[in-house]
């Protein structure tokens, strides 16, 4: 039997683990796909391609041209479009697909969370809560909704510098997780933060800020995830690999 061709849509922490494992197993030809939003990419095994496919039709064409046997959508939990495109393209092209999406965080005892539907609602919540010094971790391309908050200082943490920086009063820290509790606590204290704004990405790599906020009695505005896509979803990289193994044994009957 020839090697199975696997298309891995990257963007999440889980994508790296899946790529390493699939590459190391043998019996697979791995293609790792990045959207190309960041200049510095995590190193990945396999063949790497960069850039959009050109919508659902483009992805269908790609799946057929590249003779892809299985698609693993390991884009970030806040990727709103690609999971829908992946699901539709798999259905049309008859390719088996799965989405890896870690569970969201949920508030525990002592947390003061304000759940909001999107970034505009997060900006409105900053105003209604009367916050003055906000730790903002929503990403460098999603700062515009906060631009009108002239009286608020933002501590912005991003992987690459925001360009342009739409916020009138901001300090930018460039860093990539994982982050630990002591450092997160120090950050909140040193910058006199009175509110944390975060997307509900889930996972352990960036959860320490929530623990630090809880300890310090700082409220959190938590942005909910986009609606789930149509592919069947698993929670971990290990689950995705189990799905792939099951597919090889003929145990997966549903493409999406
Ligand atoms: P999105 O809204 O789901 O995707 C927008 C478009 O980008 C897609 O329609 C697709 O273009 C292209 N695209 C997305 N992921 C791709 C991939 N892995 N390979 C090839 N093309 C891809 O996603 P987004 O929120 O703009 O995020 C872009 C990328 O950054 C995603 O891969 C995501 O995993 C990663 N990321 C996002 C966040 C976040 O908070 N949104 C956080 C961390 C990482 P075509 O329609 O032309 O195919």
């Amino acid at each position: 039997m020839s090697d199975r061709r696997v298309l891995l849509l990257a963007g999440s922490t889980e994508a790296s683990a899946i790529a390493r494992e699939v590459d190391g197993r043998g019996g697979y030809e791995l293609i790792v796909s990045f959207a190309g939003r960041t200049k510095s990419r995590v190193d990945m095994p396999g063949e790497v391609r960069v850039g959009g496919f050109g919508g659902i039709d483009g992805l269908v064409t790609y799946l057929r041209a590249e003779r892809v046997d299985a698609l693993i959508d390991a884009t970030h939990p806040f990727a709103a479009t690609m999971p829908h495109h992946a699901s539709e393209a798999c259905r049309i092209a008859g390719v088996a697909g799965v989405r890896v999406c870690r569970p969201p965080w949920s508030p525990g005892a002592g947390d003061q969370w304000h759940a909001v539907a999107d970034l505009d609602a997060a900006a409105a919540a900053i105003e209604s809560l009367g916050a003055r010094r906000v730790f903002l971790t929503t990403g460098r391309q999603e700062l515009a909704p906060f631009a009108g908050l002239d009286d608020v200082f933002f501590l912005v943490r991003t992987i690459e510098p925001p360009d342009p920086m739409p916020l009138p009063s901001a300090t930018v820290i460039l860093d990539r997780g994982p982050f630990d509790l002591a450092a997160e606590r120090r950050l909140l204290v040193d910058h006199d933060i009175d509110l944390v704004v975060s997307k509900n990405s889930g996972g352990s790599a960036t959860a320490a800020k929530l623990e630090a906020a809880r300890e310090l009695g700082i409220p959190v505005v938590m942005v909910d995830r986009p609606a789930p896509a149509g592919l069947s979803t698993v929670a971990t990289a290990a689950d995705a690999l189990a799905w792939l193994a099951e597919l090889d044994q003929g145990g997966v009957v549903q493409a999406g």
Side-chain angles (χ1 to χ4, degrees):
M1 197 174 86
S2 60
D3 287 354
R4 274 189 184 278
R5 288 177 61 77
V6 177
L7 175 63
L8 174 66
L9 304 178
S12 65
T13 316
E14 289 79 0
S16 307
I18 294 169
R20 277 194 306 276
E21 191 66 27
V22 170
D23 187 61
R25 278 186 182 184
Y28 297 106
E29 286 175 10
L30 176 67
I31 308 166
V32 182
S33 176
F34 288 95
R37 296 285 190 279
T38 52
K39 290 189 194 93
S40 64
R41 272 187 299 281
V42 179
D43 273 344
M44 288 278 197
E47 175 191 333
V48 172
R49 67 165 300 286
V50 181
F53 296 94
I56 295 169
D57 291 348
L59 183 53
V60 169
T61 303
Y62 182 89
L63 292 173
R64 288 179 175 150
E66 294 295 325
R67 296 171 286 103
V68 171
D69 297 301
L71 177 150
I72 301 177
D73 172 7
T75 53
H76 187 268
F78 272 83
T81 309
M82 194 70 235
H84 288 283
H85 288 187
S87 163
E88 272 303 285
C90 280
R91 186 183 61 75
I92 295 165
V95 170
V98 73
R99 169 137 173 86
V100 189
C101 193
R102 63 188 96 111
W105 296 309
S106 12
D111 280 325
Q112 303 170 49
W113 286 16
H114 302 267
V116 294
D118 54 32
L119 295 169
D120 289 333
I126 292 173
E127 278 200 296
S128 64
L129 292 166
R132 286 287 169 265
R133 299 186 64 82
V134 173
F135 182 32
L136 186 62
T137 62
T138 49
R140 86 189 147 101
Q141 285 165 337
E142 288 162 315
L143 300 176
F146 305 97
L149 300 173
D150 294 336
D151 300 333
V152 179
F153 163 81
F154 289 95
L155 178 64
V156 177
R157 183 165 62 200
T158 55
I159 294 173
E160 291 182 353
D163 181 24
M165 164 48 89
L167 308 177
S169 170
T171 293
V172 177
I173 299 173
L174 300 181
D175 211 349
R176 194 193 281 269
F179 303 107
D180 70 59
L181 178 59
E184 296 294 63
R185 197 190 290 122
R186 206 163 42 241
L187 206 59
L188 298 183
V189 171
D190 286 354
H191 292 271
D192 200 15
I193 296 300
D194 60 11
L195 183 71
V196 174
V197 176
S198 172
K199 290 177 179 171
N200 196 338
S201 298
S204 57
T206 59
K209 65 189 168 195
L210 305 174
E211 208 177 329
R214 181 192 312 136
E215 281 183 7
L216 296 167
I218 298 172
V220 175
V221 169
M222 187 61 79
V223 182
D224 286 340
R225 294 174 173 200
L231 280 179
S232 62
T233 300
V234 297
T236 65
D239 292 339
L241 293 160
W243 172 88
L244 193 59
E246 204 182 332
L247 184 70
D248 286 340
Q249 288 153 17
V252 176
V253 289
Q254 196 185 318

